[in-house]
Amino acid sequence: MKEMQDKSKILYKTIGKLVNKIRQEKGIRYIDFCYGNDIPTSTYDYIVNASTQASFYNIARIIKALGLNFEEFGALLDKNLPQEYWNEED
């Protein structure tokens, strides 16, 4: 069970880092991104900082606001997850 919690933490941290990186690469200021896409800054902060498990709905909203679809984001996520995430010990 602990390993699954560790994997969840790795996943959420990677999602948060990736979301923030993509936003910055697009040159969109944090506040403009949130207000322009009707995303509460607290929701964005929770996702980027992985301080709580974000809902799939909120992650989906942010992916769409970044101009990506799930396939594109999934491919980027796959490239950014550390190798140990894929260990078979679930």
Side-chain angles (χ1 to χ4, degrees):
M1 184 74 159
K2 179 169 177 9
E3 184 171 334
M4 188 59 128
Q5 290 172 341
D6 291 342
K7 282 193 167 196
S8 288
K9 192 168 196 143
I10 291 168
L11 178 63
Y12 283 104
K13 282 185 175 188
T14 306
I15 288 171
K17 287 178 184 178
L18 187 56
V19 161
N20 206 42
K21 178 183 173 190
I22 294 167
R23 178 193 57 79
Q24 289 175 343
E25 287 175 351
K26 290 181 176 272
I28 306 169
R29 289 180 355 159
Y30 159 81
I31 203 76
D32 294 337
F33 179 80
C34 291
Y35 286 129
N37 293 290
D38 197 28
I39 296 168
T41 55
S42 60
T43 298
Y44 185 87
D45 289 341
Y46 285 138
I47 291 170
V48 169
N49 297 319
S51 57
T52 187
Q53 290 188 359
S55 71
F56 184 75
Y57 172 77
N58 284 325
I59 292 172
R61 287 179 60 212
I62 287 176
I63 291 170
K64 183 177 180 184
L66 290 169
L68 300 172
N69 62 41
F70 287 113
E71 186 176 351
E72 294 165 327
F73 189 80
L76 292 170
L77 183 59
D78 186 44
K79 288 179 185 177
N80 283 275
L81 280 168
Q83 185 59 42
E84 66 265 15
Y85 182 81
W86 299 110
N87 290 342
E88 291 291 328
E89 299 177 16
D90 284 342

